[in-house]
Amino acid sequence: MSGSSWPASISTKQARIATLAKQMPGAAMTSLSQHMDLEWLLEAYRRTRKDGAAGVDGQTAEAYAEHLEENLRALLSRAKSGTYRAPPVRRVHIPKGDGSKTRPIGIPTFEDKILQRAVLMLVEPVYEQDFYSLSYGFRPRRSARDASEALQGALFKMDGGWVLDVDIASFFDTLDHGQLRDLLRRRISDGVVVRLIGKWLRAGVLEGGVVSHADAGTPQGGVISPLLANIYLHEVLDTWWVKDVLPRLRGRAELTRYADDFVMVFELESDARRVHGVLPERFGRFGLTLHPDKTRLVDYRRPSPRGERRPGTFDFLGFKHYWGTSRKGLATPMRKTSGKRLSRALKTIGTWMKRARHWPLELQHDRLAAKLRGHFNYFGLPGNSRAIGAFRSEVLRRWHHWLARRSQRGQTWAKFQALLKRYPLPPARLTPRPRQLALANL
């Protein structure tokens, strides 16, 4: 469904699953695991990252591959017979940003990653028939940039409007297992699939030699987790929005969601305030809480001609949304890299430079060029030239700093400029899409 092309046989099976799910809206799918065979697991293995850290069993991807077919046959047998035991996830803490704080991440075993990928390949085609176009996170052929584009289109359509910027407090840690299981049974009744997902929810976390279990949260580090989160929010938010909210509004409104990050845009203030008032109760029914300080209503209407009223600003998916001036001198909704995202990106790349400063220059250059291209591909939108230019300049300054630390003789700026001629880095180039080009010419 996502990523590179699938083998023909697997693509055909997924198409059958999707067609049946589309023909049976709202019905529970009973025969999914029959499609999961050795070839299916081989493809799941192929799509599983091989360079990740080992889980609680200490087994690496390299070791697993030594007897790959034998291991996958045994895995398939245990998964279908019900004897597979989901191992706990190994929890480690890694530095955040500048290194002053840490955040926990979960590391499943390599074999568990393969099986989760295999189940994802079965279940994803079902829910892709149900999910609405307003959700973008962790879905095939959809990206954060697509979500950002959709929101920008809504802001143009509404001429700014009223923006409800919502933050769900600790969503991935508080998703209720009981309610998730109930939601899953509405669409999936295949015993093998339901049993495996239940085992992953109960697997627990290993930290400091102790395994702990929780009744809430998605499986940490698991590839199945984003889909489970989307299934949950599809019911909590998306379906409620489409079937209950929109029909009751007086004006136009649009919702854009990327995983648990979402923004609502309203034409009328009265509609925005009504929805703002009922959101906490709606999410509370599913065991979720809205962050009281980070959830806010923003007056994002067009600026008044004489400047008596200035629109508010808000952030979404790394962009700060504000009203700016187009090349023709007209007020227009615009985006630029948010200050938090810019700082975080620089801290991340600075930490990498420090770690890689003794690598060969050619390897450093290749990796750094790839990181810059990735940044420009996402943030290189019309109106954001200054921010991506500043990012590149700061990256160059920091690279010079860490290269100078490689030896006692240091490195002058002139020598660094000469080095850049041998190892040129990508320019801060805009990468707009066709629709963005049209908007930029307003």
Side-chain angles (χ1 to χ4, degrees):
M1 299 291 290
S2 59
S4 56
S5 59
W6 297 94
S9 59
I10 292 178
S11 179
T12 299
K13 289 179 179 179
Q14 289 188 316
R16 289 174 185 164
I17 294 172
T19 299
L20 190 59
K22 191 173 184 178
Q23 293 173 346
M24 302 170 59
M29 307 293 290
T30 59
S31 303
L32 294 177
S33 59
Q34 67 177 0
H35 299 292
M36 188 167 64
D37 52 18
L38 180 61
E39 183 186 26
W40 193 275
L41 286 187
L42 279 168
E43 181 62 18
Y45 164 81
R46 188 177 76 84
R47 290 174 178 265
T48 300
R49 283 185 55 182
K50 314 298 189 298
D51 57 352
V56 295
D57 61 355
Q59 188 172 49
T60 63
E62 185 179 9
Y64 196 85
E66 291 178 1
H67 305 283
L68 181 60
E69 187 168 324
E70 179 183 341
N71 287 333
L72 292 181
R73 287 187 185 279
L75 176 60
L76 182 64
S77 175
R78 283 179 283 136
K80 291 202 170 186
S81 67
T83 59
Y84 180 79
R85 298 183 64 182
V89 172
R90 182 168 71 90
R91 177 182 284 165
V92 298
H93 295 263
I94 63 173
K96 287 179 65 175
D98 60 359
S100 60
K101 296 181 180 179
T102 63
R103 65 182 178 90
I105 62 168
I107 304 174
T109 65
F110 183 70
E111 184 173 69
D112 206 49
K113 292 177 184 178
I114 296 172
L115 190 54
Q116 286 196 34
R117 175 71 64 182
V119 171
L120 175 69
M121 290 160 54
L122 289 173
V123 177
E124 186 178 70
V126 176
Y127 281 99
E128 277 301 307
Q129 312 313 307
D130 299 347
F131 290 160
Y132 294 104
S133 60
L134 54 82
S135 72
Y136 293 84
F138 306 103
R139 294 183 57 190
R141 297 175 294 279
R142 286 175 166 247
S143 67
R145 187 152 171 178
D146 292 331
S148 182
E149 262 296 277
L151 173 60
Q152 189 72 349
L155 294 172
F156 270 92
K157 187 186 303 183
M158 237 72 75
D159 202 24
W162 293 83
V163 174
L164 189 51
D165 183 13
V166 185
D167 184 273
I168 308 174
S170 303
F171 169 71
F172 287 95
D173 296 326
T174 57
L175 181 151
D176 184 84
H177 288 177
Q179 300 221 45
L180 175 60
R181 290 190 185 95
D182 290 341
L183 293 176
L184 279 167
R185 292 190 191 100
R186 296 182 188 178
R187 205 64 169 111
I188 308 293
S189 61
D190 182 289
V192 171
V193 173
V194 171
R195 185 167 55 238
L196 284 172
I197 292 177
K199 289 181 177 182
W200 287 319
L201 292 175
R202 296 188 299 270
V205 173
L206 175 66
E207 184 174 16
V210 178
V211 177
S212 59
H213 299 270
D215 296 324
T218 57
Q220 289 199 11
V223 296
I224 197 72
S225 294
L227 177 60
L228 297 180
N230 270 337
I231 292 170
Y232 205 76
L233 285 175
H234 172 72
E235 177 64 27
V236 176
L237 178 63
D238 304 352
T239 300
W240 173 70
W241 171 264
V242 171
K243 296 186 176 180
D244 296 332
V245 175
L246 287 180
R248 291 174 169 82
L249 299 181
R250 292 174 51 236
R252 295 175 297 171
E254 291 200 25
L255 165 66
T256 304
R257 180 173 70 81
Y258 187 90
D260 64 326
D261 198 354
F262 67 94
V263 168
M264 297 170 171
V265 183
F266 299 87
E267 182 180 20
L268 301 178
E269 179 183 6
S270 58
D271 287 338
R273 294 197 178 279
R274 284 174 58 202
V275 174
H276 191 189
V278 299
L279 266 181
E281 179 184 355
R282 174 64 185 180
F283 278 76
R285 287 176 53 190
F286 292 86
L288 301 174
T289 304
L290 301 185
H291 198 294
D293 299 324
K294 296 180 180 179
T295 298
R296 62 197 183 101
L297 184 60
V298 179
D299 182 352
Y300 193 70
R301 290 174 297 168
R302 176 180 291 275
S304 55
R306 298 181 181 179
E308 301 92 344
R309 177 183 49 77
R310 298 181 62 182
T313 63
F314 66 97
D315 291 356
F316 184 66
L317 298 180
F319 287 101
K320 178 179 181 179
H321 289 260
Y322 67 101
W323 277 85
T325 305
S326 71
R327 294 176 181 176
K328 296 183 179 180
L330 302 175
T332 184
M334 300 189 77
R335 289 169 287 178
K336 63 181 179 182
T337 312
S338 72
K340 289 182 179 179
R341 179 60 69 88
L342 184 59
S343 297
R344 191 171 75 191
L346 287 172
K347 287 175 182 176
T348 300
I349 209 166
T351 300
W352 174 84
M353 286 179 182
K354 180 180 179 180
R355 189 175 67 248
R357 65 187 184 277
H358 294 299
W359 292 8
L361 278 176
E362 185 175 356
L363 181 56
Q364 284 192 52
H365 167 262
D366 288 347
R367 297 285 179 85
L368 191 54
K371 292 177 185 294
L372 283 171
R373 281 192 294 269
H375 187 89
F376 300 152
N377 284 341
Y378 184 71
F379 289 103
L381 300 176
N384 202 29
S385 299
R386 183 178 298 178
I388 63 172
F391 178 79
R392 185 181 188 276
S393 296
E394 183 61 18
V395 166
L396 290 179
R397 188 191 70 78
R398 296 189 183 201
W399 197 28
H400 171 250
H401 168 79
W402 287 113
L403 289 180
R405 298 282 295 271
R406 279 162 54 114
S407 68
Q408 294 181 346
R409 292 186 300 173
Q411 184 181 61
T412 65
W413 187 254
K415 288 183 179 179
F416 180 63
Q417 292 297 315
L419 181 145
L420 287 177
K421 290 182 180 179
R422 290 173 53 205
Y423 300 102
L425 291 173
R429 211 171 264 167
L430 299 181
T431 56
R433 297 182 180 183
R435 183 167 59 169
Q436 294 163 343
L437 285 171
L439 296 179
N441 292 325
L442 289 175

